[in-house]
Amino acid sequence: MMVFVTFDHLHSFPGTGVRPGLCHKGARALCERYGMDWAAIVKAGGVSSAVLIETGDALAISLVEHAMKSVVA
């Protein structure tokens, strides 16, 4: 199932520290590492789960899994 991973998903991602969520600085770094356009993602309000899965990055894939759980719930 493909989902649109939004900033709500990014901000509610569990278990990364004292507060839930991932920071924009880290998300921007992930985009840069894999050649994604951060500005376009911000403008769109998120990104397709397929784009994140294609990176093969464990954190990106975990974020997709988190987004899928929130859509199914």
Side-chain angles (χ1 to χ4, degrees):
M1 167 177 40
M2 294 300 188
V3 298
F4 190 70
V5 181
T6 68
F7 285 95
D8 286 341
H9 299 124
L10 183 75
H11 297 151
S12 65
F13 187 81
T16 58
V18 177
R19 299 182 313 182
L22 299 170
C23 67
H24 285 208
K25 181 179 179 179
R28 281 191 302 269
L30 182 114
C31 287
E32 185 175 319
R33 186 176 316 124
Y34 296 107
M36 293 183 276
D37 184 350
W38 172 254
I41 292 170
V42 170
K43 185 175 181 178
V47 64
S48 168
S49 58
V51 172
L52 295 174
I53 291 169
E54 285 177 13
T55 68
D57 185 272
L59 188 57
I61 293 169
S62 293
L63 179 59
V64 169
E65 291 169 351
H66 170 66
M68 287 181 173
K69 287 177 190 173
S70 70
V71 171
V72 173

Short mmCIF file of all heavy atoms in Angstrom, two decimals:
data_model
loop_
_atom_site.label_atom_id
_atom_site.label_comp_id
_atom_site.label_asym_id
_atom_site.label_seq_id
_atom_site.Cartn_x
_atom_site.Cartn_y
_atom_site.Cartn_z
N MET A 1 0.84 -1.17 0.00
CA MET A 1 0.00 0.00 0.00
C MET A 1 0.89 1.24 0.00
O MET A 1 1.81 1.35 0.79
CB MET A 1 -0.90 0.00 1.24
CG MET A 1 -1.57 1.32 1.45
SD MET A 1 -2.75 1.55 2.80
CE MET A 1 -2.12 0.69 4.17
N MET A 2 0.60 2.15 -0.90
CA MET A 2 1.34 3.41 -0.95
C MET A 2 0.57 4.45 -0.14
O MET A 2 -0.65 4.50 -0.17
CB MET A 2 1.48 3.90 -2.39
CG MET A 2 2.32 3.01 -3.24
SD MET A 2 3.97 2.89 -2.54
CE MET A 2 4.77 2.02 -3.82
N VAL A 3 1.30 5.26 0.59
CA VAL A 3 0.70 6.36 1.34
C VAL A 3 1.50 7.63 1.07
O VAL A 3 2.63 7.58 0.60
CB VAL A 3 0.66 6.08 2.86
CG1 VAL A 3 -0.19 4.88 3.18
CG2 VAL A 3 2.04 5.91 3.43
N PHE A 4 0.88 8.75 1.38
CA PHE A 4 1.55 10.03 1.30
C PHE A 4 2.07 10.33 2.70
O PHE A 4 1.28 10.48 3.64
CB PHE A 4 0.56 11.11 0.82
CG PHE A 4 1.21 12.42 0.49
CD1 PHE A 4 2.03 12.54 -0.63
CD2 PHE A 4 1.00 13.53 1.28
CE1 PHE A 4 2.62 13.75 -0.95
CE2 PHE A 4 1.58 14.74 0.97
CZ PHE A 4 2.40 14.85 -0.15
N VAL A 5 3.37 10.37 2.87
CA VAL A 5 4.00 10.59 4.16
C VAL A 5 4.07 12.09 4.39
O VAL A 5 4.72 12.82 3.63
CB VAL A 5 5.39 9.94 4.22
CG1 VAL A 5 6.03 10.16 5.58
CG2 VAL A 5 5.31 8.44 3.91
N THR A 6 3.38 12.55 5.43
CA THR A 6 3.26 13.98 5.70
C THR A 6 4.16 14.42 6.85
O THR A 6 4.78 13.60 7.54
CB THR A 6 1.81 14.33 6.07
OG1 THR A 6 1.50 13.73 7.34
CG2 THR A 6 0.82 13.83 5.02
N PHE A 7 4.16 15.71 7.09
CA PHE A 7 4.92 16.25 8.21
C PHE A 7 4.30 15.83 9.54
O PHE A 7 5.00 15.72 10.54
CB PHE A 7 5.07 17.76 8.10
CG PHE A 7 6.08 18.14 7.06
CD1 PHE A 7 5.68 18.44 5.77
CD2 PHE A 7 7.43 18.15 7.36
CE1 PHE A 7 6.61 18.75 4.80
CE2 PHE A 7 8.37 18.46 6.40
CZ PHE A 7 7.97 18.76 5.12
N ASP A 8 2.99 15.55 9.56
CA ASP A 8 2.37 15.01 10.78
C ASP A 8 3.01 13.66 11.12
O ASP A 8 3.26 13.37 12.30
CB ASP A 8 0.86 14.84 10.60
CG ASP A 8 0.12 16.16 10.64
OD1 ASP A 8 0.68 17.16 11.15
OD2 ASP A 8 -1.03 16.20 10.17
N HIS A 9 3.27 12.84 10.12
CA HIS A 9 3.92 11.56 10.36
C HIS A 9 5.35 11.78 10.86
O HIS A 9 5.80 11.12 11.80
CB HIS A 9 3.95 10.71 9.08
CG HIS A 9 2.60 10.38 8.56
ND1 HIS A 9 2.22 10.68 7.27
CD2 HIS A 9 1.54 9.79 9.14
CE1 HIS A 9 0.98 10.28 7.09
NE2 HIS A 9 0.54 9.75 8.21
N LEU A 10 6.06 12.70 10.24
CA LEU A 10 7.43 13.01 10.64
C LEU A 10 7.47 13.48 12.09
O LEU A 10 8.30 13.04 12.87
CB LEU A 10 8.01 14.10 9.72
CG LEU A 10 9.46 14.50 9.96
CD1 LEU A 10 10.40 13.42 9.43
CD2 LEU A 10 9.76 15.84 9.32
N HIS A 11 6.52 14.34 12.46
CA HIS A 11 6.52 14.93 13.80
C HIS A 11 6.01 13.98 14.88
O HIS A 11 6.24 14.23 16.06
CB HIS A 11 5.69 16.21 13.80
CG HIS A 11 6.25 17.26 12.92
ND1 HIS A 11 5.45 18.21 12.32
CD2 HIS A 11 7.52 17.53 12.50
CE1 HIS A 11 6.21 19.01 11.59
NE2 HIS A 11 7.46 18.61 11.68
N SER A 12 5.33 12.91 14.49
CA SER A 12 4.79 11.97 15.49
C SER A 12 5.54 10.65 15.52
O SER A 12 5.15 9.73 16.24
CB SER A 12 3.30 11.72 15.21
OG SER A 12 3.12 11.05 13.96
N PHE A 13 6.62 10.54 14.76
CA PHE A 13 7.41 9.31 14.71
C PHE A 13 7.89 8.96 16.12
O PHE A 13 8.50 9.79 16.79
CB PHE A 13 8.60 9.50 13.77
CG PHE A 13 9.37 8.24 13.50
CD1 PHE A 13 8.92 7.33 12.57
CD2 PHE A 13 10.55 7.97 14.17
CE1 PHE A 13 9.63 6.17 12.30
CE2 PHE A 13 11.26 6.81 13.91
CZ PHE A 13 10.79 5.91 12.98
N PRO A 14 7.60 7.76 16.61
CA PRO A 14 7.91 7.42 18.01
C PRO A 14 9.35 6.96 18.24
O PRO A 14 10.03 6.50 17.32
CB PRO A 14 6.94 6.26 18.28
CG PRO A 14 6.79 5.59 16.95
CD PRO A 14 6.86 6.72 15.93
N GLY A 15 9.75 7.11 19.49
CA GLY A 15 10.96 6.45 19.97
C GLY A 15 12.30 6.98 19.55
O GLY A 15 13.27 6.25 19.54
N THR A 16 12.40 8.26 19.21
CA THR A 16 13.69 8.77 18.77
C THR A 16 14.36 9.66 19.81
O THR A 16 15.44 10.17 19.57
CB THR A 16 13.56 9.56 17.45
OG1 THR A 16 12.63 10.62 17.65
CG2 THR A 16 13.08 8.65 16.33
N GLY A 17 13.72 9.87 20.93
CA GLY A 17 14.30 10.73 21.96
C GLY A 17 13.28 11.04 23.02
O GLY A 17 12.30 10.33 23.18
N VAL A 18 13.51 12.12 23.73
CA VAL A 18 12.61 12.51 24.81
C VAL A 18 11.22 12.85 24.27
O VAL A 18 10.22 12.45 24.84
CB VAL A 18 13.20 13.73 25.58
CG1 VAL A 18 12.24 14.20 26.65
CG2 VAL A 18 14.55 13.37 26.17
N ARG A 19 11.19 13.55 23.15
CA ARG A 19 9.92 13.89 22.51
C ARG A 19 9.75 13.05 21.26
O ARG A 19 10.74 12.70 20.61
CB ARG A 19 9.89 15.36 22.12
CG ARG A 19 10.02 16.30 23.28
CD ARG A 19 9.95 17.74 22.85
NE ARG A 19 10.80 18.00 21.70
CZ ARG A 19 10.97 19.16 21.13
NH1 ARG A 19 10.34 20.20 21.60
NH2 ARG A 19 11.76 19.31 20.09
N PRO A 20 8.51 12.74 20.90
CA PRO A 20 8.33 12.01 19.64
C PRO A 20 8.67 12.91 18.46
O PRO A 20 8.69 14.12 18.58
CB PRO A 20 6.84 11.65 19.65
CG PRO A 20 6.21 12.64 20.56
CD PRO A 20 7.26 13.02 21.57
N GLY A 21 8.93 12.29 17.34
CA GLY A 21 9.13 13.04 16.12
C GLY A 21 10.57 13.10 15.66
O GLY A 21 11.51 12.87 16.43
N LEU A 22 10.71 13.36 14.39
CA LEU A 22 12.01 13.56 13.77
C LEU A 22 12.14 15.04 13.44
O LEU A 22 11.16 15.71 13.15
CB LEU A 22 12.13 12.72 12.50
CG LEU A 22 12.01 11.21 12.70
CD1 LEU A 22 11.91 10.50 11.35
CD2 LEU A 22 13.20 10.68 13.48
N CYS A 23 13.37 15.53 13.46
CA CYS A 23 13.59 16.95 13.21
C CYS A 23 13.71 17.24 11.72
O CYS A 23 14.06 16.37 10.93
CB CYS A 23 14.84 17.42 13.95
SG CYS A 23 16.38 16.73 13.32
N HIS A 24 13.43 18.47 11.37
CA HIS A 24 13.54 18.89 9.98
C HIS A 24 14.99 18.86 9.51
O HIS A 24 15.25 18.55 8.35
CB HIS A 24 12.96 20.30 9.80
CG HIS A 24 11.47 20.31 9.83
ND1 HIS A 24 10.73 21.25 9.18
CD2 HIS A 24 10.58 19.50 10.44
CE1 HIS A 24 9.44 21.02 9.37
NE2 HIS A 24 9.33 19.97 10.15
N LYS A 25 15.92 19.16 10.41
CA LYS A 25 17.34 19.14 10.03
C LYS A 25 17.74 17.75 9.54
O LYS A 25 18.39 17.60 8.51
CB LYS A 25 18.20 19.56 11.22
CG LYS A 25 19.67 19.60 10.92
CD LYS A 25 20.48 20.05 12.13
CE LYS A 25 21.96 20.06 11.82
NZ LYS A 25 22.74 20.52 12.96
N GLY A 26 17.33 16.73 10.26
CA GLY A 26 17.62 15.35 9.86
C GLY A 26 16.90 14.96 8.58
O GLY A 26 17.45 14.26 7.73
N ALA A 27 15.67 15.43 8.44
CA ALA A 27 14.90 15.12 7.22
C ALA A 27 15.54 15.79 6.00
O ALA A 27 15.63 15.19 4.93
CB ALA A 27 13.45 15.57 7.39
N ARG A 28 16.01 17.02 6.19
CA ARG A 28 16.70 17.71 5.09
C ARG A 28 17.97 16.97 4.71
O ARG A 28 18.29 16.84 3.52
CB ARG A 28 17.04 19.15 5.48
CG ARG A 28 15.88 20.10 5.38
CD ARG A 28 16.32 21.55 5.51
NE ARG A 28 17.02 21.83 6.75
CZ ARG A 28 16.45 22.25 7.87
NH1 ARG A 28 15.14 22.44 7.91
NH2 ARG A 28 17.16 22.48 8.95
N ALA A 29 18.70 16.48 5.72
CA ALA A 29 19.94 15.73 5.45
C ALA A 29 19.63 14.44 4.68
O ALA A 29 20.36 14.08 3.75
CB ALA A 29 20.66 15.41 6.75
N LEU A 30 18.54 13.77 5.05
CA LEU A 30 18.15 12.55 4.34
C LEU A 30 17.83 12.89 2.88
O LEU A 30 18.25 12.18 1.97
CB LEU A 30 16.94 11.91 5.02
CG LEU A 30 16.49 10.62 4.36
CD1 LEU A 30 16.69 9.45 5.30
CD2 LEU A 30 15.04 10.70 3.94
N CYS A 31 17.11 13.97 2.67
CA CYS A 31 16.77 14.40 1.30
C CYS A 31 18.03 14.68 0.50
O CYS A 31 18.16 14.25 -0.65
CB CYS A 31 15.88 15.64 1.33
SG CYS A 31 14.20 15.29 1.85
N GLU A 32 18.96 15.38 1.11
CA GLU A 32 20.21 15.70 0.40
C GLU A 32 20.98 14.43 0.07
O GLU A 32 21.50 14.28 -1.04
CB GLU A 32 21.07 16.62 1.27
CG GLU A 32 22.31 17.11 0.57
CD GLU A 32 23.08 18.11 1.41
OE1 GLU A 32 22.45 18.98 2.04
OE2 GLU A 32 24.33 18.01 1.43
N ARG A 33 21.05 13.51 1.02
CA ARG A 33 21.79 12.25 0.81
C ARG A 33 21.26 11.46 -0.37
O ARG A 33 22.02 10.82 -1.10
CB ARG A 33 21.71 11.41 2.09
CG ARG A 33 22.55 10.15 2.06
CD ARG A 33 22.53 9.37 3.38
NE ARG A 33 22.66 10.22 4.54
CZ ARG A 33 21.77 10.26 5.56
NH1 ARG A 33 20.71 9.49 5.55
NH2 ARG A 33 21.96 11.07 6.57
N TYR A 34 19.94 11.49 -0.57
CA TYR A 34 19.32 10.67 -1.62
C TYR A 34 18.81 11.48 -2.81
O TYR A 34 18.07 10.97 -3.64
CB TYR A 34 18.21 9.81 -1.02
CG TYR A 34 18.76 8.82 -0.02
CD1 TYR A 34 18.56 9.00 1.35
CD2 TYR A 34 19.51 7.73 -0.44
CE1 TYR A 34 19.09 8.10 2.27
CE2 TYR A 34 20.05 6.83 0.47
CZ TYR A 34 19.83 7.02 1.82
OH TYR A 34 20.36 6.14 2.73
N GLY A 35 19.21 12.73 -2.90
CA GLY A 35 18.87 13.54 -4.06
C GLY A 35 17.42 13.96 -4.16
O GLY A 35 16.91 14.19 -5.26
N MET A 36 16.74 14.06 -3.02
CA MET A 36 15.35 14.51 -3.02
C MET A 36 15.31 16.02 -2.83
O MET A 36 16.17 16.60 -2.18
CB MET A 36 14.57 13.82 -1.90
CG MET A 36 14.40 12.33 -2.11
SD MET A 36 13.41 11.56 -0.82
CE MET A 36 14.67 11.29 0.43
N ASP A 37 14.30 16.65 -3.39
CA ASP A 37 14.14 18.09 -3.32
C ASP A 37 13.34 18.47 -2.07
O ASP A 37 12.11 18.38 -2.06
CB ASP A 37 13.44 18.57 -4.59
CG ASP A 37 13.30 20.07 -4.69
OD1 ASP A 37 13.56 20.79 -3.69
OD2 ASP A 37 12.92 20.54 -5.77
N TRP A 38 14.06 18.92 -1.03
CA TRP A 38 13.42 19.26 0.25
C TRP A 38 12.36 20.35 0.05
O TRP A 38 11.25 20.26 0.58
CB TRP A 38 14.47 19.70 1.26
CG TRP A 38 13.89 20.24 2.54
CD1 TRP A 38 13.86 21.54 2.92
CD2 TRP A 38 13.25 19.50 3.58
NE1 TRP A 38 13.24 21.66 4.15
CE2 TRP A 38 12.85 20.41 4.57
CE3 TRP A 38 12.96 18.16 3.77
CZ2 TRP A 38 12.20 20.04 5.74
CZ3 TRP A 38 12.30 17.78 4.94
CH2 TRP A 38 11.93 18.70 5.90
N ALA A 39 12.67 21.38 -0.72
CA ALA A 39 11.73 22.48 -0.93
C ALA A 39 10.44 21.98 -1.58
O ALA A 39 9.34 22.41 -1.21
CB ALA A 39 12.36 23.57 -1.78
N ALA A 40 10.54 21.06 -2.52
CA ALA A 40 9.36 20.50 -3.18
C ALA A 40 8.53 19.68 -2.20
O ALA A 40 7.30 19.71 -2.23
CB ALA A 40 9.76 19.65 -4.38
N ILE A 41 9.20 18.95 -1.32
CA ILE A 41 8.50 18.15 -0.32
C ILE A 41 7.76 19.06 0.65
O ILE A 41 6.61 18.81 1.00
CB ILE A 41 9.48 17.21 0.41
CG1 ILE A 41 9.99 16.14 -0.58
CG2 ILE A 41 8.84 16.58 1.64
CD1 ILE A 41 11.13 15.30 -0.06
N VAL A 42 8.42 20.14 1.08
CA VAL A 42 7.76 21.10 1.97
C VAL A 42 6.55 21.71 1.28
O VAL A 42 5.47 21.79 1.86
CB VAL A 42 8.76 22.19 2.42
CG1 VAL A 42 8.04 23.32 3.15
CG2 VAL A 42 9.85 21.59 3.30
N LYS A 43 6.71 22.12 0.04
CA LYS A 43 5.61 22.74 -0.70
C LYS A 43 4.43 21.78 -0.85
O LYS A 43 3.27 22.18 -0.72
CB LYS A 43 6.09 23.19 -2.07
CG LYS A 43 5.06 23.95 -2.86
CD LYS A 43 5.62 24.47 -4.17
CE LYS A 43 4.55 25.24 -4.92
NZ LYS A 43 5.06 25.80 -6.17
N ALA A 44 4.73 20.49 -1.09
CA ALA A 44 3.68 19.49 -1.26
C ALA A 44 3.09 19.02 0.07
O ALA A 44 2.04 18.40 0.09
CB ALA A 44 4.24 18.28 -2.03
N GLY A 45 3.78 19.27 1.16
CA GLY A 45 3.32 18.84 2.47
C GLY A 45 3.70 17.41 2.80
O GLY A 45 3.24 16.85 3.78
N GLY A 46 4.56 16.81 1.98
CA GLY A 46 5.00 15.44 2.22
C GLY A 46 5.54 14.82 0.95
O GLY A 46 5.83 15.52 -0.02
N VAL A 47 5.64 13.50 1.00
CA VAL A 47 6.24 12.77 -0.12
C VAL A 47 5.61 11.37 -0.19
O VAL A 47 5.18 10.81 0.82
CB VAL A 47 7.78 12.68 0.06
CG1 VAL A 47 8.16 11.90 1.29
CG2 VAL A 47 8.46 12.13 -1.16
N SER A 48 5.58 10.81 -1.36
CA SER A 48 5.07 9.45 -1.56
C SER A 48 5.94 8.45 -0.82
O SER A 48 7.17 8.56 -0.81
CB SER A 48 5.06 9.12 -3.05
OG SER A 48 4.84 7.75 -3.25
N SER A 49 5.29 7.48 -0.24
CA SER A 49 6.04 6.44 0.46
C SER A 49 6.99 5.70 -0.49
O SER A 49 8.07 5.27 -0.08
CB SER A 49 5.09 5.44 1.14
OG SER A 49 4.23 4.84 0.19
N ALA A 50 6.63 5.59 -1.75
CA ALA A 50 7.48 4.90 -2.72
C ALA A 50 8.84 5.58 -2.84
O ALA A 50 9.87 4.90 -2.96
CB ALA A 50 6.80 4.86 -4.08
N VAL A 51 8.86 6.89 -2.80
CA VAL A 51 10.12 7.64 -2.91
C VAL A 51 11.02 7.31 -1.72
O VAL A 51 12.22 7.10 -1.88
CB VAL A 51 9.85 9.16 -2.99
CG1 VAL A 51 11.13 9.96 -2.90
CG2 VAL A 51 9.09 9.48 -4.27
N LEU A 52 10.43 7.26 -0.53
CA LEU A 52 11.22 6.95 0.67
C LEU A 52 11.70 5.50 0.67
O LEU A 52 12.84 5.22 1.03
CB LEU A 52 10.41 7.26 1.93
CG LEU A 52 10.08 8.73 2.14
CD1 LEU A 52 9.15 8.90 3.34
CD2 LEU A 52 11.34 9.56 2.32
N ILE A 53 10.85 4.58 0.25
CA ILE A 53 11.22 3.17 0.21
C ILE A 53 12.37 2.95 -0.77
O ILE A 53 13.29 2.18 -0.49
CB ILE A 53 10.01 2.29 -0.14
CG1 ILE A 53 9.01 2.31 1.03
CG2 ILE A 53 10.43 0.87 -0.47
CD1 ILE A 53 7.66 1.71 0.71
N GLU A 54 12.34 3.64 -1.89
CA GLU A 54 13.39 3.50 -2.91
C GLU A 54 14.78 3.86 -2.39
O GLU A 54 15.78 3.37 -2.90
CB GLU A 54 13.08 4.36 -4.13
CG GLU A 54 11.98 3.81 -5.00
CD GLU A 54 11.65 4.73 -6.16
OE1 GLU A 54 12.40 5.67 -6.44
OE2 GLU A 54 10.60 4.49 -6.79
N THR A 55 14.86 4.68 -1.35
CA THR A 55 16.17 5.05 -0.80
C THR A 55 16.85 3.85 -0.16
O THR A 55 18.07 3.80 -0.10
CB THR A 55 16.06 6.16 0.25
OG1 THR A 55 15.38 5.66 1.41
CG2 THR A 55 15.38 7.40 -0.29
N GLY A 56 16.06 2.91 0.36
CA GLY A 56 16.61 1.77 1.09
C GLY A 56 17.09 2.15 2.48
O GLY A 56 17.60 1.31 3.22
N ASP A 57 16.89 3.39 2.87
CA ASP A 57 17.34 3.89 4.17
C ASP A 57 16.42 3.35 5.27
O ASP A 57 15.20 3.46 5.18
CB ASP A 57 17.30 5.42 4.16
CG ASP A 57 17.86 6.03 5.42
OD1 ASP A 57 17.09 6.21 6.39
OD2 ASP A 57 19.07 6.32 5.43
N ALA A 58 17.01 2.78 6.31
CA ALA A 58 16.23 2.14 7.38
C ALA A 58 15.30 3.13 8.07
O ALA A 58 14.14 2.80 8.37
CB ALA A 58 17.16 1.48 8.39
N LEU A 59 15.77 4.34 8.33
CA LEU A 59 14.93 5.33 9.00
C LEU A 59 13.78 5.77 8.09
O LEU A 59 12.64 5.91 8.54
CB LEU A 59 15.77 6.54 9.43
CG LEU A 59 15.06 7.56 10.30
CD1 LEU A 59 14.50 6.92 11.56
CD2 LEU A 59 16.01 8.69 10.67
N ALA A 60 14.06 5.97 6.82
CA ALA A 60 13.01 6.35 5.87
C ALA A 60 11.94 5.26 5.78
O ALA A 60 10.74 5.55 5.76
CB ALA A 60 13.61 6.62 4.50
N ILE A 61 12.38 4.01 5.76
CA ILE A 61 11.43 2.89 5.69
C ILE A 61 10.62 2.80 6.98
O ILE A 61 9.41 2.55 6.95
CB ILE A 61 12.18 1.58 5.37
CG1 ILE A 61 12.73 1.66 3.94
CG2 ILE A 61 11.27 0.37 5.55
CD1 ILE A 61 13.70 0.57 3.57
N SER A 62 11.24 3.05 8.12
CA SER A 62 10.51 3.06 9.39
C SER A 62 9.46 4.17 9.41
O SER A 62 8.38 3.99 9.95
CB SER A 62 11.49 3.24 10.56
OG SER A 62 12.31 2.11 10.69
N LEU A 63 9.81 5.31 8.83
CA LEU A 63 8.85 6.42 8.76
C LEU A 63 7.65 6.02 7.90
O LEU A 63 6.51 6.30 8.24
CB LEU A 63 9.53 7.67 8.22
CG LEU A 63 8.65 8.91 8.07
CD1 LEU A 63 8.03 9.32 9.40
CD2 LEU A 63 9.47 10.05 7.47
N VAL A 64 7.90 5.34 6.80
CA VAL A 64 6.81 4.86 5.95
C VAL A 64 5.93 3.88 6.73
O VAL A 64 4.69 3.97 6.68
CB VAL A 64 7.36 4.19 4.67
CG1 VAL A 64 6.26 3.45 3.92
CG2 VAL A 64 8.03 5.23 3.77
N GLU A 65 6.54 2.97 7.45
CA GLU A 65 5.76 2.01 8.25
C GLU A 65 4.90 2.73 9.28
O GLU A 65 3.75 2.36 9.50
CB GLU A 65 6.71 1.01 8.91
CG GLU A 65 7.36 0.07 7.92
CD GLU A 65 8.50 -0.76 8.51
OE1 GLU A 65 8.91 -0.50 9.66
OE2 GLU A 65 8.98 -1.65 7.79
N HIS A 66 5.46 3.75 9.91
CA HIS A 66 4.71 4.56 10.88
C HIS A 66 3.52 5.23 10.19
O HIS A 66 2.41 5.22 10.71
CB HIS A 66 5.64 5.60 11.51
CG HIS A 66 4.95 6.62 12.34
ND1 HIS A 66 4.29 6.31 13.51
CD2 HIS A 66 4.80 7.96 12.15
CE1 HIS A 66 3.78 7.41 14.02
NE2 HIS A 66 4.07 8.42 13.20
N ALA A 67 3.75 5.80 9.02
CA ALA A 67 2.67 6.46 8.28
C ALA A 67 1.58 5.46 7.90
O ALA A 67 0.39 5.78 8.01
CB ALA A 67 3.24 7.13 7.02
N MET A 68 1.98 4.27 7.49
CA MET A 68 0.99 3.25 7.11
C MET A 68 0.13 2.85 8.30
O MET A 68 -1.08 2.66 8.16
CB MET A 68 1.70 2.03 6.53
CG MET A 68 2.24 2.25 5.15
SD MET A 68 3.03 0.76 4.55
CE MET A 68 3.39 1.22 2.87
N LYS A 69 0.74 2.74 9.49
CA LYS A 69 -0.03 2.40 10.69
C LYS A 69 -1.05 3.47 11.00
O LYS A 69 -2.17 3.16 11.42
CB LYS A 69 0.91 2.22 11.87
CG LYS A 69 1.73 0.97 11.83
CD LYS A 69 2.68 0.91 13.01
CE LYS A 69 3.68 -0.21 12.85
NZ LYS A 69 4.71 -0.16 13.91
N SER A 70 -0.69 4.73 10.83
CA SER A 70 -1.63 5.80 11.15
C SER A 70 -2.76 5.88 10.14
O SER A 70 -3.86 6.32 10.47
CB SER A 70 -0.90 7.14 11.26
OG SER A 70 -0.47 7.59 9.99
N VAL A 71 -2.51 5.47 8.90
CA VAL A 71 -3.55 5.48 7.87
C VAL A 71 -4.53 4.34 8.11
O VAL A 71 -5.74 4.51 7.98
CB VAL A 71 -2.93 5.40 6.46
CG1 VAL A 71 -4.00 5.17 5.40
CG2 VAL A 71 -2.15 6.66 6.16
N VAL A 72 -4.01 3.18 8.50
CA VAL A 72 -4.85 2.00 8.72
C VAL A 72 -5.66 2.15 10.00
O VAL A 72 -6.79 1.70 10.07
CB VAL A 72 -3.98 0.72 8.78
CG1 VAL A 72 -4.79 -0.49 9.18
CG2 VAL A 72 -3.30 0.49 7.45
N ALA A 73 -5.11 2.83 11.00
CA ALA A 73 -5.77 2.95 12.31
C ALA A 73 -7.02 3.76 12.29
O ALA A 73 -7.60 4.27 11.51
CB ALA A 73 -4.81 3.58 13.31
#
